[in-house]
Amino acid sequence: MSPDRRAVEAETVTRLQDLIRFDTTNPPGNELPAALYLKTALEEEGIATTLLEPVANRAALIGRIRGTGASRPVILLAHMDVVGVERASWSCDPFAGEIRDGYVYGRGAIDDKGMLAANLMTMLLLQRELKHTGAKLSRDVVFVATSDEEAGGEWGMGWLIEHHADLLDAEFALNEGGRTRIIEGGQTYLAVQAAEKISHVVAVTAHGSAGHAAIPLEDNAIFRLARALEKLSRYAEPVLLTSITRQFFGRLAEVWPNAEERAAMLELASSEKASVERGAAVLSRTAVFNAVLRNGISAVIVEGGTRYNVIPASAGAVLNVRTLPGQSIDEVVARLRTVVDEPNVTVEITQRGAEAPASDPDSAMFEAIAKTARELNPKIAVVPYLSTGVTDSARLRRIGVQAYGVLPFPMQQSDEERMHGHDERVPVESLHFGTRLIHGTIEKIAR
Ligand SMILES: [Zn+2]
């Protein structure tokens, strides 16, 4: 390894450790000190920054390397806040950035301070190269670090778009939201999120006569609710393939180790109805695949009753319904009402998610990501991906930015599952892979 590369890798690890050591647990967030750290790092390299403070001790930090303006800017986005920790369940201090067995440990190591560090390193490396060669980029590269992503983004991307949308004018953005997964047999696939499901809240409420529990009543609201939920538990929305899910399964089949599932993926990617149905039946058995094949319905809260000898007049449950892009929540709810078919049970939308368009899985940006990934690992499969989770990318897509989500660090599922869990960690080697992936992608798209 060249001394240069070794120095860059050491700096990357140190930057990540530094970022983990800012406790940005949200709530309350307290991201300002981390933003000031990023500001200093960028400015020391000669990169112009803008620090915005939406509310006390919270911040958005923007850094910009100017290009010639031949093309519209590209954004490198990451959030500074992290979710809370249950310290007793960690084997180390979650805010120390400890290195052990080839991993950097700490809250945020993979969500999202790893990417924040990789984005920062990309900015520093680009600026150093430009200084060295005197070359110019074809477009601005805009570093954006936000607050409050983990609590809905009201003081983060939401605020930024509302008050400073001009700073976010861009053709493309790279954000969290995908994955680089090492699967059985050592194969790796990179899922690049190009669209996401939309999250809605739906209330199921049963009404009945209130009364003394000593006199059982036929129209007991809790039993009514139970019957409604039992019917919903057996209901699944129809399979619906978007062009992104078709490509996702078609390309994933190239590396998928399980023969039956591989065949099912190819069937799903075909255009024959019978094949698609056969493929969907097999893949629906796996929860994560099932979730991208149809609108999803999860019961999340149930409430009703006050004491042991009173029949309540009502009982309710809350459903989280996640629709595929372009699907109408009103039509889903109309179907749920038909399924429930109980007297005095209502099904109502209480919170509607906002629709966002998909990013183009054949764009120059997607190609730049895929090409860089293959340079780093010739056998990697790069697949467009529709995520079931929600990220800041939906907000960017709504203002016309084609956002793509990655988690650029190759990991086994077991490591990825530590996200939001205990002993979150990133393999040091994967941190370097991810930094090279982002750096290489930006070099290509901003050349
Ligand atoms: Zn995140």
Side-chain angles (χ1 to χ4, degrees):
M1 197 193 297
S2 74
D4 273 4
R5 179 156 158 184
R6 196 169 298 137
V8 166
E9 293 191 348
E11 184 179 354
T12 307
V13 170
T14 304
R15 296 285 186 195
L16 175 56
Q17 290 176 302
D18 289 347
L19 288 165
I20 288 171
R21 287 170 189 153
F22 292 102
D23 181 349
T24 53
T25 301
N26 183 15
N30 291 338
E31 298 93 342
L32 182 59
L36 290 169
Y37 168 88
L38 295 166
K39 179 176 154 70
T40 304
L42 291 165
E43 286 181 352
E44 277 175 357
E45 209 68 54
I47 299 168
T49 66
T50 309
L51 178 72
L52 301 161
E53 296 175 59
V55 65
N57 219 24
R58 311 202 77 172
L61 195 271
I62 300 183
R64 185 179 298 261
I65 300 177
R66 291 224 174 262
T68 61
S71 302
R72 284 174 65 212
V74 59
I75 289 173
L76 282 176
L77 174 63
H79 61 88
M80 297 178 283
D81 60 316
V82 295
V83 294
V85 295
E86 292 171 276
R87 268 181 193 264
S89 301
W90 282 63
S91 67
C92 58
D93 178 349
F95 299 103
E98 189 179 305
I99 297 176
R100 202 201 315 156
D101 309 325
Y103 289 88
V104 181
Y105 279 80
R107 175 55 89 221
I110 53 175
D111 182 16
D112 188 22
K113 287 178 171 171
M115 192 156 168
L116 190 60
N119 288 353
L120 175 64
M121 287 306 298
T122 295
M123 295 297 282
L124 303 181
L125 294 172
L126 278 177
Q127 179 75 355
R128 285 170 202 167
E129 285 153 16
L130 295 172
K131 218 183 276 174
H132 183 69
T133 61
K136 277 251 180 259
L137 299 174
S138 64
R139 57 174 101 225
D140 291 7
V141 179
V142 188
F143 173 92
V144 179
T146 56
S147 293
D148 202 31
E149 194 276 339
E150 298 290 2
E154 188 193 345
W155 296 110
M157 190 50 83
W159 182 87
L160 207 50
I161 286 175
E162 195 176 328
H163 299 276
H164 298 277
D166 53 312
L167 297 175
L168 301 173
D169 174 62
E171 182 175 13
F172 300 120
L174 196 59
N175 185 22
E176 64 176 350
R179 68 170 80 111
T180 310
R181 174 67 59 76
I182 304 168
I183 50 179
E184 213 180 295
Q187 290 273 44
T188 305
Y189 73 90
L190 167 60
V192 181
Q193 186 232 50
E196 49 193 70
K197 274 184 148 181
I198 303 143
S199 174
H200 314 268
V201 182
V202 172
V204 182
T205 313
H207 300 275
S209 307
H212 197 294
I215 313 295
L217 298 173
E218 217 170 281
D219 68 346
N220 182 306
I222 293 178
F223 286 148
R224 232 172 216 167
L225 178 68
R227 283 194 294 274
L229 293 178
E230 198 278 330
K231 288 178 193 164
L232 288 171
S233 76
R234 285 184 283 118
Y235 174 72
E237 281 276 285
V239 169
L240 213 133
L241 281 178
T242 67
S243 70
I244 290 173
T245 35
R246 226 177 253 281
Q247 289 189 46
F248 172 71
F249 286 115
R251 292 195 211 165
L252 197 55
E254 292 167 20
V255 293
W256 202 252
N258 177 298
E260 189 193 13
E261 288 177 344
R262 187 169 57 242
M265 286 172 181
L266 290 172
E267 291 205 286
L268 258 192
S270 86
S271 51
E272 259 178 70
K273 194 163 173 277
S275 303
V276 169
E277 277 170 14
R278 273 200 307 274
V282 172
L283 294 173
S284 294
R285 289 184 220 141
T286 305
V288 287
F289 291 150
N290 185 45
V292 298
L293 288 173
R294 56 186 97 231
N295 301 319
I297 300 149
S298 292
V300 290
I301 296 171
V302 61
E303 50 198 351
T306 52
R307 50 180 295 140
Y308 75 92
N309 56 1
V310 175
I311 299 172
S314 67
V318 177
L319 309 178
N320 182 212
V321 178
R322 298 212 172 194
T323 50
L324 292 163
Q327 289 285 293
S328 153
I329 180 66
D330 295 289
E331 286 172 21
V332 175
V333 167
R335 288 193 284 276
L336 297 184
R337 287 192 184 117
T338 314
V339 170
V340 165
D341 188 31
E342 284 284 331
N344 293 313
V345 176
T346 59
V347 183
E348 301 294 339
I349 303 163
T350 53
Q351 200 184 303
R352 262 170 208 275
E355 183 77 48
S359 300
D360 180 2
D362 297 310
S363 70
M365 183 69 176
F366 193 97
E367 193 40 49
I369 298 167
K371 198 160 173 236
T372 309
R374 284 193 294 265
E375 284 167 9
L376 295 171
N377 174 0
K379 289 207 285 198
I380 200 167
V382 184
V383 300
Y385 171 62
L386 182 148
S387 73
T388 51
V390 177
T391 69
D392 276 338
S393 293
R395 295 180 195 264
L396 285 176
R397 292 186 185 115
R398 280 199 283 278
I399 59 165
V401 180
Q402 297 216 55
Y404 297 90
V406 292
L407 174 58
F409 314 120
M411 278 183 292
Q412 316 238 355
Q413 182 163 347
S414 55
D415 272 337
E416 202 182 297
E417 282 169 356
R418 294 170 184 237
M419 187 185 286
H420 290 210
H422 315 313
D423 278 352
E424 182 178 346
R425 62 184 192 178
V426 63
V428 173
E429 277 313 308
S430 300
L431 176 67
H432 299 322
F433 179 100
T435 305
R436 287 197 282 274
L437 179 65
I438 294 172
H439 180 214
T441 298
I442 298 302
E443 271 189 329
K444 285 182 183 63
I445 201 71
R447 180 173 291 153

